[in-house]
């Protein structure tokens, strides 16, 4: 799955990752590569998406906590981020 520029919205990223994680099996390997901006607010870290809004950063970006929780619930045997 490749998401580039404006196609990489928060909703699209989260939807694709959620569906992907649900379909991974024990023998699978997942390699997740992100090239873009990120930021931290307090103890939370976020990945910016194609529709991240400067005035509403946390709500319009992808939470790394959410991402790691979602991936850890998968059956996948190997995950590289």
């Amino acid at each position: 799955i490749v998401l580039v520029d404006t196609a990489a919205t928060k909703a699209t990223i989260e939807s694709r990752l959620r569906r992907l994680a649900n379909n991974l099996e024990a023998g699978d390997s997942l390699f997740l590569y992100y090239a873009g901006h990120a930021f931290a607010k307090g103890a939370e870290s976020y990945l910016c998406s194609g529709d991240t809004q400067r005035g509403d950063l946390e709500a319009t970006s992808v939470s790394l906590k959410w991402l790691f929780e979602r991936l850890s619930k998968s059956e996948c045997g190997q995950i590289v981020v």
Side-chain angles (χ1 to χ4, degrees):
I1 300 170
V2 177
L3 300 174
V4 180
D5 297 327
T6 57
T9 65
K10 177 184 180 184
T12 301
I13 293 168
E14 289 179 350
S15 174
R16 295 280 180 98
L17 282 171
R18 187 174 33 256
R19 287 184 287 155
L20 180 64
N22 288 341
N23 291 312
L24 292 170
E25 297 177 357
D28 292 337
S29 296
L30 171 66
F31 295 87
L32 176 64
Y33 177 78
Y34 171 81
H37 296 281
F39 66 95
K41 179 136 187 190
E44 296 290 325
S45 296
Y46 299 86
L47 303 177
C48 295
S49 60
D51 61 342
T52 293
Q53 303 293 309
R54 286 184 184 207
D56 197 14
L57 287 173
E58 299 89 62
T60 59
S61 299
V62 178
S63 163
L64 280 180
K65 179 180 177 182
W66 175 88
L67 184 139
F68 291 138
E69 285 175 353
R70 197 59 62 190
L71 293 178
S72 69
K73 292 178 182 175
S74 77
E75 302 280 324
C76 191
Q78 178 184 14
I79 299 174
V80 177
V81 178

